[in-house]
Amino acid sequence: NLVWGCGLLDWAHGQREGVAGSLASDGGVGTSLSMQRNMQDAYKIQALLGTRLTAGKALYAATLGAAQALGLAHEIGQIEPDHMADLTVWDWARGPVAEHRDSLACQAHASLHERVFAWMTLGDERNLVATLIRGVTVYQTPR
């Protein structure tokens, strides 16, 4: 919808109406295949509509929530025995602004939510450390 400019999804309204929400990417009408960027966009859209999407809810919607929406939670969406998992490994923060924000969260002994929120809103592809497909490392950031 961001590419076409044809509307903003009111997630809170959908939940009140019993609509299960999840996050996904679509190269056809989306702006990125990155789920991290989609979580950033979801947060911004909900803020425009007067709702604060929590980092936990965004991360859930991109993982187990998406698996449940597809009817595949018995196979994917969580790290559990007998589940398939393609994983990405991330640094909490990369770059001076994100690193400063993350250090503040750590100094204040903030909740995990604060760190995930900073990662979600300030992170980008520089945070990516590795990608594993079926347990095999297929990408690793040169360090």
Side-chain angles (χ1 to χ4, degrees):
N1 288 344
L2 291 178
V3 171
W4 291 350
C6 62
L8 303 176
L9 174 68
D10 186 339
W11 197 325
H13 175 77
Q15 285 189 313
R16 286 191 301 274
E17 296 296 320
V19 176
S22 68
L23 288 174
S25 61
D26 179 349
V29 297
T31 57
S32 175
L33 295 176
S34 166
M35 289 311 299
Q36 187 182 37
R37 287 192 182 164
N38 286 313
M39 287 187 285
Q40 292 169 358
D41 287 344
Y43 175 80
K44 293 172 199 172
I45 290 167
Q46 296 315 296
L48 286 170
L49 296 171
T51 302
R52 296 291 184 233
L53 178 63
T54 67
K57 187 174 279 191
L59 191 57
Y60 173 82
T63 55
L64 182 55
Q68 289 175 333
L70 293 169
L72 296 173
H74 62 288
E75 295 179 28
I76 62 172
Q78 55 191 326
I79 303 171
E80 292 290 334
D82 300 321
H83 283 67
M84 293 183 287
D86 298 337
L87 304 171
T88 53
V89 179
W90 299 86
D91 277 337
W92 280 110
R94 300 291 287 172
V97 173
E99 289 169 3
H100 177 70
R101 175 65 175 82
D102 185 60
S103 72
L104 292 175
C106 291
Q107 289 172 10
H109 303 291
S111 67
L112 180 59
H113 172 267
E114 288 296 322
R115 287 194 86 189
V116 175
F117 181 79
W119 168 82
M120 177 184 86
T121 56
L122 297 173
D124 58 35
E125 60 276 357
R126 294 174 297 168
N127 295 65
L128 183 62
V129 173
T131 302
L132 294 86
I133 306 294
R134 295 184 180 174
V136 176
T137 302
V138 296
Y139 173 80
Q140 190 156 7
T141 303
R143 300 276 174 185

